[in-house]
Amino acid sequence: MSPTSPSVSLPSPKERRRLREALSLSEEQVAEAMGVTRATVRSWETGRSAPRGRKREAYAKLLGVYEEPAAPRTEKPARPAPAATRPRQAAKGTARPPKAPSVASVASSAPGVSGASSGVSERPAVKAAAAPAAPARGDDDPTTGAGEATAPAEGVEGAEGAEGVEGAEGVEPAEVEESPADAARPGLTPEEAFDALYAYAAPGLVHQTYLLTGRRRLSRESVEHAFHHAWQHWPEVAVDRDPVGWVRAAAYEYALSPWHRFRRRHRHPDSPPTEANRRALLDALLELPPPYRRTVLLYDGLGLDLPETAAETEASTPAAGNRLLHARAAIARRVPELADPEALHRRLSALVAEAPTATLAPARSVRSGSERRTRLFTRSVIGVTAGLIGITAFTAATAPTRYIPVNVPGQVVDGVPVRGGPQKLRPEDKELRDRLRSAPHPGPERLVPRPE
């Protein structure tokens, strides 16, 4: 294998971020070691791009996931196995990595999925640490490490929270395998895959954005905008490891945009629910700043771990941990019975898992609306460009090719009118002219040169 071979395997973007934080490296340090900018490292960790060539191999070595290529060797043809030989089964209890949700798996499970399952997962219970947890510090404290900020006594998981994780009620995680129905399912067209993703994720996302904003109309608008954006970038969404997370991030970003406060219909939240517990929790959520509100909903409501929550909110893991602590403290002050993190997790999970009641537009109309907006935007850009070209051409054709100086208008000096001007003489001007002609001004005679 050549040193610039692109076959060097890299982990997923979220795993790259987790490995960097496990090595206690900042984005600036990785960028300096790789010879790139910090924005490039961030794009590698968010999945927008990936290193190539020698940088790909160096990046894999830096993260500690580089595997030396094995030298090619000639193998002898294997002898056929006897009929009585059976393949040995995997050891019982062997945990396999969970299969990432893809568009095909979403499409296969879309018809029988309720709105509560759109991106909601059970958060694994974390074993209690033997050592006492350090108190959380602020984001700006330079002495705060990832372990101090992300391992509080309230049960916040750290960047290495994957170790010691058990399933709910102490049950071992089940092996996730591809079902025969999924393997035999024929390839879907982009329209069918988009419709399946919309039917699977849209109802739950509307309910989640309502919990973020308290506005039902804005939540429906945000989800439709996110799916419009997803259809415009469907080649990217179709190959994403978590298409529901891709759409969820777009919907949350649109719903929490500060520009909605200038819109009259989205200026004030809707009337709160009549149930006292729901109203108190929703009011406590809406009083939080948008980043804190989003962090606590992703972690305690949807069950994402702390690195995934930090990656989706575009924050560092210590900052996400501190946001979570402050959000929990604010909710506990407003609703004292939710001071226990597990109680807050159960209440938020139950609130997120409720069956949504919003009426959504059909998937076909969402796709057609996205295409119509794209055509309208393209035509507008073409029209504006053509107009600018026409104005530029007209200006170039009618503009003078040489400079014509402007004659300064004359001024009246001591009552003497301007001569040679286009204006007509007034009666007093004519009187002055006649007087000057009849009685010249007395004075010394003029010197007339005489030729000699």
Side-chain angles (χ1 to χ4, degrees), residues 281-360:
L281 180 55
L282 187 59
D283 292 343
L285 283 175
L286 295 180
E287 287 184 356
L288 296 173
Y292 294 72
R293 195 186 318 161
R294 184 176 179 181
T295 301
V296 73
L297 181 63
L298 290 174
Y299 186 84
D300 284 327
L302 298 182
L304 273 67
D305 59 3
L306 201 59
E308 291 180 350
T309 303
E312 187 160 330
T313 56
E314 296 185 355
S316 63
T317 303
N322 286 320
R323 289 177 181 177
L324 183 61
L325 291 178
H326 292 306
R328 284 177 172 178
I331 295 176
R333 287 193 299 268
R334 184 67 183 268
V335 188
E337 60 267 19
L338 298 181
D340 185 11
E342 290 301 327
L344 177 61
H345 168 59
R346 288 193 298 269
R347 181 75 67 82
L348 267 180
S349 299
L351 193 61
V352 170
E354 292 180 353
T357 58
T359 303
L360 300 177

Side-chain angles (χ1 to χ4, degrees), residues 2 20 33 54 58 70 90 122 135 153 167 169-170 198 201 209 221 226 253 268 329 348 356 375 389 428:
S2 63
R20 175 180 61 80
R54 297 183 182 274
E122 289 293 336
E169 303 299 331
Y198 182 81
T209 50
E221 180 182 335
E253 287 289 342
H268 303 288
L348 267 180
R375 288 195 298 267
I389 293 175
E428 54 269 19

Side-chain angles (χ1 to χ4, degrees), residues 400-407:
T401 57
R402 59 187 181 86
Y403 175 73
I404 301 176
V406 179
N407 295 327

Side-chain angles (χ1 to χ4, degrees), residues 74-82:
T74 305
E75 297 182 356
K76 298 181 180 180
R79 291 180 294 179

Side-chain angles (χ1 to χ4, degrees), residues 48 73 98 101 103 111 144 179 181 289 299 309 344 352 361 364 395 424 427:
R48 298 189 182 97
R73 60 181 181 179
V103 176
T144 303
S179 62
Y299 186 84
T309 303
L344 177 61
V352 170
R364 178 179 298 179
T395 303
K424 295 182 180 180

Side-chain angles (χ1 to χ4, degrees), residues 194 205 221-231 246-252 254:
F194 177 84
L205 289 178
E221 180 182 335
S222 303
V223 174
E224 289 186 6
H225 173 82
F227 276 97
H228 285 165
H229 194 60
W231 182 243
W246 196 100
V247 181
R248 180 178 62 234
Y252 285 8
Y254 184 86

Side-chain angles (χ1 to χ4, degrees), residues 123-286:
R123 186 185 63 174
V126 181
K127 294 181 178 179
R137 301 180 182 178
D139 294 345
D140 298 332
D141 191 354
T143 62
T144 303
E148 296 177 351
T150 60
E154 285 79 355
V156 181
E157 298 173 358
E160 294 83 19
E163 299 179 4
V165 175
E166 297 178 347
E169 303 299 331
V171 179
E172 295 182 358
E175 297 182 0
V176 180
E177 296 183 356
E178 185 177 5
S179 62
D182 292 342
R185 186 178 181 88
L188 298 175
T189 62
E191 291 80 8
E192 293 174 348
F194 177 84
D195 295 351
L197 178 64
Y198 182 81
Y200 176 81
L205 289 178
V206 171
H207 186 59
Q208 295 169 27
T209 50
Y210 168 70
L211 298 178
L212 281 177
T213 60
R215 298 164 175 82
R216 295 180 178 85
R217 182 180 298 179
L218 178 59
S219 63
R220 292 193 295 268
E221 180 182 335
S222 303
V223 174
E224 289 186 6
H225 173 82
F227 276 97
H228 285 165
H229 194 60
W231 182 243
Q232 294 172 6
H233 300 80
W234 185 247
E236 176 185 350
V237 180
V239 299
D240 194 274
R241 294 176 178 268
D242 185 14
V244 178
W246 196 100
V247 181
R248 180 178 62 234
Y252 285 8
E253 287 289 342
Y254 184 86
L256 296 178
S257 175
W259 297 106
H260 295 307
R261 70 183 66 176
F262 298 105
R263 303 173 62 183
R264 185 174 182 180
R265 59 181 180 179
H266 298 323
R267 190 171 300 172
H268 303 288
D270 299 344
S271 57
T274 56
E275 189 177 347
N277 294 334
R278 291 168 50 89
R279 182 172 63 252
L281 180 55
L282 187 59
D283 292 343
L285 283 175
L286 295 180

